[in-house]
Amino acid sequence: QVQLVESGGGLVQAGGSLRLSCTASGRSFSMNPMGWFRQAPGKEREFVAAINWSGGSTYYADSVKGRFTISRDNAKNTVYLQMNSLKPEDTAVYYCSADLKFQGPPTRWGYDYDYWGQGTQVTVSS
């Protein structure tokens, strides 16, 4: 059974940092793009960041560019999201996702992803 499990969420003050982790089990995603999305209360899910299989290509939403960094460790089957300079509007449930396209490009479209984690809550206080 394939699972994506996120961790690292929590409560942080504005301007602070958090690092989210997403570890996959059940199969390797070392040759697949991975992504992070988020959903705030009352809003639709939105794209945050994506990374290709090697880590050599990344893609960010404009709202997080320059503040967030996506990375991966294929030996650990894990993808990370380093979040700096957090703002109250970053408050959301953050979801990890995996795309089954072999060596595919990082993509912002949710329908491209085949597996999703359960999410981890990030709350940024003002």
Side-chain angles (χ1 to χ4, degrees), residues 74-103:
N74 286 338
K76 295 181 179 180
N77 220 15
T78 298
V79 63
Y80 304 98
L81 185 68
Q82 177 67 44
M83 306 186 294
N84 299 329
S85 303
L86 282 161
K87 305 175 181 180
E89 51 264 43
D90 294 318
T91 295
V93 177
Y94 283 70
Y95 298 93
C96 170
S97 56
D99 178 352
L100 286 178
K101 293 184 211 38
F102 181 78
Q103 294 188 352

PDB file of all heavy atoms in Angstrom, residues 74-103:
ATOM      1  N   ASN A  74      16.245  11.303  -2.341  1.00  0.00           N
ATOM      2  CA  ASN A  74      15.708  10.073  -2.938  1.00  0.00           C
ATOM      3  C   ASN A  74      16.127   8.829  -2.173  1.00  0.00           C
ATOM      4  O   ASN A  74      15.401   7.832  -2.184  1.00  0.00           O
ATOM      5  CB  ASN A  74      16.129   9.978  -4.397  1.00  0.00           C
ATOM      6  CG  ASN A  74      15.358  10.940  -5.280  1.00  0.00           C
ATOM      7  OD1 ASN A  74      14.264  11.385  -4.927  1.00  0.00           O
ATOM      8  ND2 ASN A  74      15.932  11.297  -6.413  1.00  0.00           N
ATOM      9  N   ALA A  75      17.258   8.886  -1.518  1.00  0.00           N
ATOM     10  CA  ALA A  75      17.678   7.730  -0.718  1.00  0.00           C
ATOM     11  C   ALA A  75      16.717   7.487   0.443  1.00  0.00           C
ATOM     12  O   ALA A  75      16.577   6.348   0.909  1.00  0.00           O
ATOM     13  CB  ALA A  75      19.088   7.936  -0.206  1.00  0.00           C
ATOM     14  N   LYS A  76      16.073   8.552   0.898  1.00  0.00           N
ATOM     15  CA  LYS A  76      15.127   8.440   2.009  1.00  0.00           C
ATOM     16  C   LYS A  76      13.682   8.464   1.526  1.00  0.00           C
ATOM     17  O   LYS A  76      12.764   8.434   2.344  1.00  0.00           O
ATOM     18  CB  LYS A  76      15.346   9.583   3.004  1.00  0.00           C
ATOM     19  CG  LYS A  76      16.702   9.536   3.696  1.00  0.00           C
ATOM     20  CD  LYS A  76      16.851  10.681   4.690  1.00  0.00           C
ATOM     21  CE  LYS A  76      18.196  10.615   5.395  1.00  0.00           C
ATOM     22  NZ  LYS A  76      18.367  11.729   6.365  1.00  0.00           N
ATOM     23  N   ASN A  77      13.488   8.563   0.201  1.00  0.00           N
ATOM     24  CA  ASN A  77      12.131   8.616  -0.362  1.00  0.00           C
ATOM     25  C   ASN A  77      11.324   9.743   0.283  1.00  0.00           C
ATOM     26  O   ASN A  77      10.135   9.578   0.599  1.00  0.00           O
ATOM     27  CB  ASN A  77      11.415   7.279  -0.178  1.00  0.00           C
ATOM     28  CG  ASN A  77      10.585   6.886  -1.391  1.00  0.00           C
ATOM     29  OD1 ASN A  77      10.725   7.441  -2.481  1.00  0.00           O
ATOM     30  ND2 ASN A  77       9.691   5.924  -1.182  1.00  0.00           N
ATOM     31  N   THR A  78      11.990  10.879   0.461  1.00  0.00           N
ATOM     32  CA  THR A  78      11.414  12.002   1.210  1.00  0.00           C
ATOM     33  C   THR A  78      11.571  13.304   0.440  1.00  0.00           C
ATOM     34  O   THR A  78      12.610  13.534  -0.186  1.00  0.00           O
ATOM     35  CB  THR A  78      12.098  12.123   2.586  1.00  0.00           C
ATOM     36  OG1 THR A  78      11.851  10.925   3.345  1.00  0.00           O
ATOM     37  CG2 THR A  78      11.554  13.314   3.370  1.00  0.00           C
ATOM     38  N   VAL A  79      10.531  14.124   0.511  1.00  0.00           N
ATOM     39  CA  VAL A  79      10.578  15.472  -0.050  1.00  0.00           C
ATOM     40  C   VAL A  79      10.332  16.464   1.085  1.00  0.00           C
ATOM     41  O   VAL A  79       9.597  16.163   2.039  1.00  0.00           O
ATOM     42  CB  VAL A  79       9.541  15.637  -1.192  1.00  0.00           C
ATOM     43  CG1 VAL A  79       8.121  15.466  -0.687  1.00  0.00           C
ATOM     44  CG2 VAL A  79       9.706  16.962  -1.893  1.00  0.00           C
ATOM     45  N   TYR A  80      10.978  17.614   0.982  1.00  0.00           N
ATOM     46  CA  TYR A  80      10.919  18.622   2.038  1.00  0.00           C
ATOM     47  C   TYR A  80      10.368  19.940   1.502  1.00  0.00           C
ATOM     48  O   TYR A  80      10.468  20.236   0.315  1.00  0.00           O
ATOM     49  CB  TYR A  80      12.317  18.881   2.608  1.00  0.00           C
ATOM     50  CG  TYR A  80      13.013  17.657   3.115  1.00  0.00           C
ATOM     51  CD1 TYR A  80      13.939  16.983   2.323  1.00  0.00           C
ATOM     52  CD2 TYR A  80      12.755  17.161   4.391  1.00  0.00           C
ATOM     53  CE1 TYR A  80      14.588  15.841   2.772  1.00  0.00           C
ATOM     54  CE2 TYR A  80      13.402  16.022   4.858  1.00  0.00           C
ATOM     55  CZ  TYR A  80      14.313  15.366   4.037  1.00  0.00           C
ATOM     56  OH  TYR A  80      14.946  14.236   4.509  1.00  0.00           O
ATOM     57  N   LEU A  81       9.825  20.720   2.425  1.00  0.00           N
ATOM     58  CA  LEU A  81       9.437  22.094   2.098  1.00  0.00           C
ATOM     59  C   LEU A  81       9.938  22.980   3.226  1.00  0.00           C
ATOM     60  O   LEU A  81       9.381  22.944   4.330  1.00  0.00           O
ATOM     61  CB  LEU A  81       7.930  22.229   1.927  1.00  0.00           C
ATOM     62  CG  LEU A  81       7.453  23.600   1.465  1.00  0.00           C
ATOM     63  CD1 LEU A  81       7.911  23.853   0.019  1.00  0.00           C
ATOM     64  CD2 LEU A  81       5.929  23.727   1.544  1.00  0.00           C
ATOM     65  N   GLN A  82      10.995  23.722   2.961  1.00  0.00           N
ATOM     66  CA  GLN A  82      11.510  24.683   3.926  1.00  0.00           C
ATOM     67  C   GLN A  82      10.752  25.987   3.738  1.00  0.00           C
ATOM     68  O   GLN A  82      10.742  26.560   2.645  1.00  0.00           O
ATOM     69  CB  GLN A  82      13.002  24.916   3.711  1.00  0.00           C
ATOM     70  CG  GLN A  82      13.611  25.965   4.627  1.00  0.00           C
ATOM     71  CD  GLN A  82      13.622  25.545   6.083  1.00  0.00           C
ATOM     72  OE1 GLN A  82      13.961  24.396   6.398  1.00  0.00           O
ATOM     73  NE2 GLN A  82      13.249  26.448   6.973  1.00  0.00           N
ATOM     74  N   MET A  83      10.109  26.449   4.802  1.00  0.00           N
ATOM     75  CA  MET A  83       9.277  27.644   4.733  1.00  0.00           C
ATOM     76  C   MET A  83       9.863  28.713   5.653  1.00  0.00           C
ATOM     77  O   MET A  83       9.922  28.509   6.870  1.00  0.00           O
ATOM     78  CB  MET A  83       7.842  27.316   5.144  1.00  0.00           C
ATOM     79  CG  MET A  83       7.236  26.162   4.352  1.00  0.00           C
ATOM     80  SD  MET A  83       5.485  25.888   4.715  1.00  0.00           S
ATOM     81  CE  MET A  83       5.595  25.375   6.422  1.00  0.00           C
ATOM     82  N   ASN A  84      10.304  29.801   5.080  1.00  0.00           N
ATOM     83  CA  ASN A  84      10.875  30.922   5.832  1.00  0.00           C
ATOM     84  C   ASN A  84       9.994  32.152   5.685  1.00  0.00           C
ATOM     85  O   ASN A  84       9.149  32.226   4.790  1.00  0.00           O
ATOM     86  CB  ASN A  84      12.284  31.216   5.327  1.00  0.00           C
ATOM     87  CG  ASN A  84      13.242  30.065   5.502  1.00  0.00           C
ATOM     88  OD1 ASN A  84      13.118  29.278   6.438  1.00  0.00           O
ATOM     89  ND2 ASN A  84      14.223  29.959   4.606  1.00  0.00           N
ATOM     90  N   SER A  85      10.216  33.120   6.549  1.00  0.00           N
ATOM     91  CA  SER A  85       9.468  34.385   6.504  1.00  0.00           C
ATOM     92  C   SER A  85       7.972  34.124   6.392  1.00  0.00           C
ATOM     93  O   SER A  85       7.284  34.721   5.555  1.00  0.00           O
ATOM     94  CB  SER A  85       9.949  35.244   5.322  1.00  0.00           C
ATOM     95  OG  SER A  85      11.332  35.492   5.406  1.00  0.00           O
ATOM     96  N   LEU A  86       7.477  33.260   7.237  1.00  0.00           N
ATOM     97  CA  LEU A  86       6.074  32.863   7.159  1.00  0.00           C
ATOM     98  C   LEU A  86       5.142  34.028   7.473  1.00  0.00           C
ATOM     99  O   LEU A  86       5.450  34.893   8.311  1.00  0.00           O
ATOM    100  CB  LEU A  86       5.806  31.703   8.106  1.00  0.00           C
ATOM    101  CG  LEU A  86       6.289  30.346   7.569  1.00  0.00           C
ATOM    102  CD1 LEU A  86       6.439  29.333   8.690  1.00  0.00           C
ATOM    103  CD2 LEU A  86       5.336  29.840   6.508  1.00  0.00           C
ATOM    104  N   LYS A  87       3.998  34.022   6.799  1.00  0.00           N
ATOM    105  CA  LYS A  87       2.984  35.057   6.954  1.00  0.00           C
ATOM    106  C   LYS A  87       1.682  34.415   7.406  1.00  0.00           C
ATOM    107  O   LYS A  87       1.449  33.233   7.133  1.00  0.00           O
ATOM    108  CB  LYS A  87       2.758  35.756   5.612  1.00  0.00           C
ATOM    109  CG  LYS A  87       4.004  36.327   4.976  1.00  0.00           C
ATOM    110  CD  LYS A  87       3.689  36.889   3.588  1.00  0.00           C
ATOM    111  CE  LYS A  87       4.943  37.440   2.917  1.00  0.00           C
ATOM    112  NZ  LYS A  87       4.638  37.984   1.558  1.00  0.00           N
ATOM    113  N   PRO A  88       0.809  35.185   8.042  1.00  0.00           N
ATOM    114  CA  PRO A  88      -0.481  34.616   8.442  1.00  0.00           C
ATOM    115  C   PRO A  88      -1.251  34.003   7.268  1.00  0.00           C
ATOM    116  O   PRO A  88      -1.947  32.990   7.449  1.00  0.00           O
ATOM    117  CB  PRO A  88      -1.220  35.827   9.024  1.00  0.00           C
ATOM    118  CG  PRO A  88      -0.129  36.686   9.576  1.00  0.00           C
ATOM    119  CD  PRO A  88       0.996  36.536   8.589  1.00  0.00           C
ATOM    120  N   GLU A  89      -1.095  34.543   6.087  1.00  0.00           N
ATOM    121  CA  GLU A  89      -1.808  33.993   4.927  1.00  0.00           C
ATOM    122  C   GLU A  89      -1.225  32.663   4.447  1.00  0.00           C
ATOM    123  O   GLU A  89      -1.784  32.033   3.549  1.00  0.00           O
ATOM    124  CB  GLU A  89      -1.821  35.002   3.766  1.00  0.00           C
ATOM    125  CG  GLU A  89      -0.471  35.570   3.400  1.00  0.00           C
ATOM    126  CD  GLU A  89      -0.209  36.922   4.063  1.00  0.00           C
ATOM    127  OE1 GLU A  89      -0.512  37.087   5.269  1.00  0.00           O
ATOM    128  OE2 GLU A  89       0.321  37.813   3.358  1.00  0.00           O
ATOM    129  N   ASP A  90      -0.139  32.214   5.037  1.00  0.00           N
ATOM    130  CA  ASP A  90       0.378  30.879   4.743  1.00  0.00           C
ATOM    131  C   ASP A  90      -0.327  29.806   5.565  1.00  0.00           C
ATOM    132  O   ASP A  90      -0.085  28.603   5.354  1.00  0.00           O
ATOM    133  CB  ASP A  90       1.884  30.810   5.024  1.00  0.00           C
ATOM    134  CG  ASP A  90       2.703  31.684   4.102  1.00  0.00           C
ATOM    135  OD1 ASP A  90       2.412  31.713   2.890  1.00  0.00           O
ATOM    136  OD2 ASP A  90       3.648  32.338   4.605  1.00  0.00           O
ATOM    137  N   THR A  91      -1.183  30.217   6.487  1.00  0.00           N
ATOM    138  CA  THR A  91      -1.919  29.263   7.305  1.00  0.00           C
ATOM    139  C   THR A  91      -2.796  28.378   6.438  1.00  0.00           C
ATOM    140  O   THR A  91      -3.604  28.869   5.646  1.00  0.00           O
ATOM    141  CB  THR A  91      -2.782  30.005   8.340  1.00  0.00           C
ATOM    142  OG1 THR A  91      -1.918  30.688   9.255  1.00  0.00           O
ATOM    143  CG2 THR A  91      -3.670  29.035   9.103  1.00  0.00           C
ATOM    144  N   ALA A  92      -2.613  27.065   6.571  1.00  0.00           N
ATOM    145  CA  ALA A  92      -3.348  26.108   5.744  1.00  0.00           C
ATOM    146  C   ALA A  92      -2.960  24.690   6.157  1.00  0.00           C
ATOM    147  O   ALA A  92      -2.002  24.501   6.924  1.00  0.00           O
ATOM    148  CB  ALA A  92      -3.016  26.314   4.267  1.00  0.00           C
ATOM    149  N   VAL A  93      -3.693  23.732   5.617  1.00  0.00           N
ATOM    150  CA  VAL A  93      -3.254  22.346   5.663  1.00  0.00           C
ATOM    151  C   VAL A  93      -2.392  22.117   4.430  1.00  0.00           C
ATOM    152  O   VAL A  93      -2.813  22.428   3.311  1.00  0.00           O
ATOM    153  CB  VAL A  93      -4.435  21.368   5.690  1.00  0.00           C
ATOM    154  CG1 VAL A  93      -3.927  19.923   5.663  1.00  0.00           C
ATOM    155  CG2 VAL A  93      -5.310  21.615   6.918  1.00  0.00           C
ATOM    156  N   TYR A  94      -1.196  21.592   4.650  1.00  0.00           N
ATOM    157  CA  TYR A  94      -0.250  21.368   3.563  1.00  0.00           C
ATOM    158  C   TYR A  94      -0.235  19.883   3.194  1.00  0.00           C
ATOM    159  O   TYR A  94      -0.094  19.019   4.073  1.00  0.00           O
ATOM    160  CB  TYR A  94       1.143  21.830   3.976  1.00  0.00           C
ATOM    161  CG  TYR A  94       1.285  23.331   3.917  1.00  0.00           C
ATOM    162  CD1 TYR A  94       0.627  24.145   4.834  1.00  0.00           C
ATOM    163  CD2 TYR A  94       2.053  23.944   2.934  1.00  0.00           C
ATOM    164  CE1 TYR A  94       0.737  25.530   4.772  1.00  0.00           C
ATOM    165  CE2 TYR A  94       2.168  25.322   2.861  1.00  0.00           C
ATOM    166  CZ  TYR A  94       1.506  26.111   3.786  1.00  0.00           C
ATOM    167  OH  TYR A  94       1.609  27.477   3.718  1.00  0.00           O
ATOM    168  N   TYR A  95      -0.348  19.635   1.891  1.00  0.00           N
ATOM    169  CA  TYR A  95      -0.413  18.277   1.378  1.00  0.00           C
ATOM    170  C   TYR A  95       0.775  17.989   0.459  1.00  0.00           C
ATOM    171  O   TYR A  95       1.136  18.811  -0.387  1.00  0.00           O
ATOM    172  CB  TYR A  95      -1.693  18.067   0.579  1.00  0.00           C
ATOM    173  CG  TYR A  95      -2.948  18.229   1.374  1.00  0.00           C
ATOM    174  CD1 TYR A  95      -3.606  19.454   1.446  1.00  0.00           C
ATOM    175  CD2 TYR A  95      -3.503  17.147   2.062  1.00  0.00           C
ATOM    176  CE1 TYR A  95      -4.768  19.603   2.184  1.00  0.00           C
ATOM    177  CE2 TYR A  95      -4.670  17.284   2.794  1.00  0.00           C
ATOM    178  CZ  TYR A  95      -5.296  18.518   2.853  1.00  0.00           C
ATOM    179  OH  TYR A  95      -6.444  18.660   3.587  1.00  0.00           O
ATOM    180  N   CYS A  96       1.313  16.795   0.620  1.00  0.00           N
ATOM    181  CA  CYS A  96       2.355  16.287  -0.259  1.00  0.00           C
ATOM    182  C   CYS A  96       1.690  15.451  -1.357  1.00  0.00           C
ATOM    183  O   CYS A  96       0.656  14.811  -1.118  1.00  0.00           O
ATOM    184  CB  CYS A  96       3.291  15.429   0.593  1.00  0.00           C
ATOM    185  SG  CYS A  96       4.485  14.467  -0.318  1.00  0.00           S
ATOM    186  N   SER A  97       2.298  15.442  -2.543  1.00  0.00           N
ATOM    187  CA  SER A  97       1.722  14.677  -3.638  1.00  0.00           C
ATOM    188  C   SER A  97       2.828  14.077  -4.498  1.00  0.00           C
ATOM    189  O   SER A  97       3.944  14.597  -4.539  1.00  0.00           O
ATOM    190  CB  SER A  97       0.829  15.577  -4.484  1.00  0.00           C
ATOM    191  OG  SER A  97       1.551  16.697  -4.948  1.00  0.00           O
ATOM    192  N   ALA A  98       2.475  12.979  -5.190  1.00  0.00           N
ATOM    193  CA  ALA A  98       3.432  12.290  -6.053  1.00  0.00           C
ATOM    194  C   ALA A  98       2.802  12.017  -7.414  1.00  0.00           C
ATOM    195  O   ALA A  98       1.646  11.608  -7.506  1.00  0.00           O
ATOM    196  CB  ALA A  98       3.872  10.977  -5.414  1.00  0.00           C
ATOM    197  N   ASP A  99       3.588  12.262  -8.440  1.00  0.00           N
ATOM    198  CA  ASP A  99       3.159  12.095  -9.833  1.00  0.00           C
ATOM    199  C   ASP A  99       3.836  10.843 -10.387  1.00  0.00           C
ATOM    200  O   ASP A  99       5.049  10.705 -10.262  1.00  0.00           O
ATOM    201  CB  ASP A  99       3.586  13.355 -10.593  1.00  0.00           C
ATOM    202  CG  ASP A  99       3.272  13.342 -12.073  1.00  0.00           C
ATOM    203  OD1 ASP A  99       2.850  12.300 -12.594  1.00  0.00           O
ATOM    204  OD2 ASP A  99       3.467  14.400 -12.698  1.00  0.00           O
ATOM    205  N   LEU A 100       3.084   9.955 -11.010  1.00  0.00           N
ATOM    206  CA  LEU A 100       3.663   8.702 -11.483  1.00  0.00           C
ATOM    207  C   LEU A 100       4.408   8.808 -12.818  1.00  0.00           C
ATOM    208  O   LEU A 100       4.989   7.818 -13.272  1.00  0.00           O
ATOM    209  CB  LEU A 100       2.576   7.634 -11.600  1.00  0.00           C
ATOM    210  CG  LEU A 100       2.073   7.053 -10.277  1.00  0.00           C
ATOM    211  CD1 LEU A 100       0.970   6.041 -10.535  1.00  0.00           C
ATOM    212  CD2 LEU A 100       3.210   6.420  -9.488  1.00  0.00           C
ATOM    213  N   LYS A 101       4.410   9.969 -13.436  1.00  0.00           N
ATOM    214  CA  LYS A 101       5.102  10.103 -14.720  1.00  0.00           C
ATOM    215  C   LYS A 101       6.606   9.944 -14.513  1.00  0.00           C
ATOM    216  O   LYS A 101       7.225  10.697 -13.767  1.00  0.00           O
ATOM    217  CB  LYS A 101       4.816  11.461 -15.357  1.00  0.00           C
ATOM    218  CG  LYS A 101       3.389  11.646 -15.783  1.00  0.00           C
ATOM    219  CD  LYS A 101       3.250  12.958 -16.489  1.00  0.00           C
ATOM    220  CE  LYS A 101       1.914  13.633 -16.337  1.00  0.00           C
ATOM    221  NZ  LYS A 101       1.264  13.554 -15.092  1.00  0.00           N
ATOM    222  N   PHE A 102       7.170   8.972 -15.196  1.00  0.00           N
ATOM    223  CA  PHE A 102       8.585   8.675 -15.075  1.00  0.00           C
ATOM    224  C   PHE A 102       9.416   9.854 -15.563  1.00  0.00           C
ATOM    225  O   PHE A 102       9.297  10.266 -16.716  1.00  0.00           O
ATOM    226  CB  PHE A 102       8.900   7.412 -15.886  1.00  0.00           C
ATOM    227  CG  PHE A 102      10.332   6.984 -15.824  1.00  0.00           C
ATOM    228  CD1 PHE A 102      10.813   6.320 -14.715  1.00  0.00           C
ATOM    229  CD2 PHE A 102      11.201   7.233 -16.876  1.00  0.00           C
ATOM    230  CE1 PHE A 102      12.122   5.901 -14.652  1.00  0.00           C
ATOM    231  CE2 PHE A 102      12.512   6.829 -16.826  1.00  0.00           C
ATOM    232  CZ  PHE A 102      12.981   6.158 -15.718  1.00  0.00           C
ATOM    233  N   GLN A 103      10.232  10.401 -14.682  1.00  0.00           N
ATOM    234  CA  GLN A 103      11.101  11.533 -14.989  1.00  0.00           C
ATOM    235  C   GLN A 103      10.332  12.706 -15.601  1.00  0.00           C
ATOM    236  O   GLN A 103      10.855  13.431 -16.448  1.00  0.00           O
ATOM    237  CB  GLN A 103      12.245  11.104 -15.901  1.00  0.00           C
ATOM    238  CG  GLN A 103      13.200  10.125 -15.229  1.00  0.00           C
ATOM    239  CD  GLN A 103      14.440   9.841 -16.065  1.00  0.00           C
ATOM    240  OE1 GLN A 103      14.539  10.248 -17.206  1.00  0.00           O
ATOM    241  NE2 GLN A 103      15.383   9.130 -15.475  1.00  0.00           N
TER     242      GLN A 103
END
